[in-house]
Amino acid sequence: MTGRRSAGLFVFRHAEDGLEVLLGHMGGPFFARRDAGAWTVPKGEYGADESAWDAARREFQEELGLPPPDGAALPLGEVRQAGGKVVTAWAVEGDLDPADVVPGTFRMEWPPRSGRPREFPELDRVAWFGLDRAGQLIVRAQAAFLDRLAQLAAGR
């Protein structure tokens, strides 16, 4: 396997106005004041020793602090993000309360070159969005997953 690869789970539910997906706002100082393009599927990197599916489930647990739903997995394929990372995703029907999320954290030096490590949540907010609003907020390349989910849901 070459290049960076991530895997994630889109949890979706049926609402009065159509499908909703659960997205996370990326934590840390780079995204603190951004909304558009700063929301993502809960995902994370994995290596050759782990399957994409296992990584997606592990990362969901690590990033949200909750077990992933056990529903049937709908494959959404892959996208290549602007930085070159390839993301593989599945959609799983489920429902959870964003207030129950206990996000994982990461450490980084902040401010840059200060020598001071700080801890930040991987996802600082989690919320449900209809597909149209999600498409306005999600990382640009990941919007393709929303289109694929809508097509799969229409065919069910």
Side-chain angles (χ1 to χ4, degrees), residues 31-104:
F31 300 99
R33 291 184 177 89
R34 288 183 49 198
D35 226 19
W39 291 79
T40 184
V41 58
K43 64 171 180 43
E45 292 187 14
Y46 65 98
D49 60 336
E50 184 177 28
S51 74
W53 172 247
D54 289 340
R57 293 181 57 79
R58 174 184 52 77
E59 286 291 334
F60 187 94
Q61 175 83 42
E62 287 178 11
E63 293 203 351
L64 301 181
L66 300 171
D70 288 327
L74 304 173
L76 299 177
E78 295 181 340
V79 298
R80 182 175 302 275
Q81 296 186 162
K85 181 187 291 184
V86 174
V87 179
T88 305
W90 289 264
V92 178
E93 189 167 358
D95 197 5
L96 62 87
D97 184 344
D100 293 337
V101 169
V102 180

Side-chain angles (χ1 to χ4, degrees), residues 9-15 18-23 57 60 64 66-74 90-98 126-129 149 156:
L9 291 181
F10 274 96
V11 176
F12 72 95
R13 66 184 182 186
H14 297 274
L19 288 182
E20 293 182 333
V21 292
L22 186 74
L23 298 179
R57 293 181 57 79
F60 187 94
L64 301 181
L66 300 171
D70 288 327
L74 304 173
W90 289 264
V92 178
E93 189 167 358
D95 197 5
L96 62 87
D97 184 344
V126 176
W128 289 101
F129 296 101
L149 174 58
R156 291 176 97 190

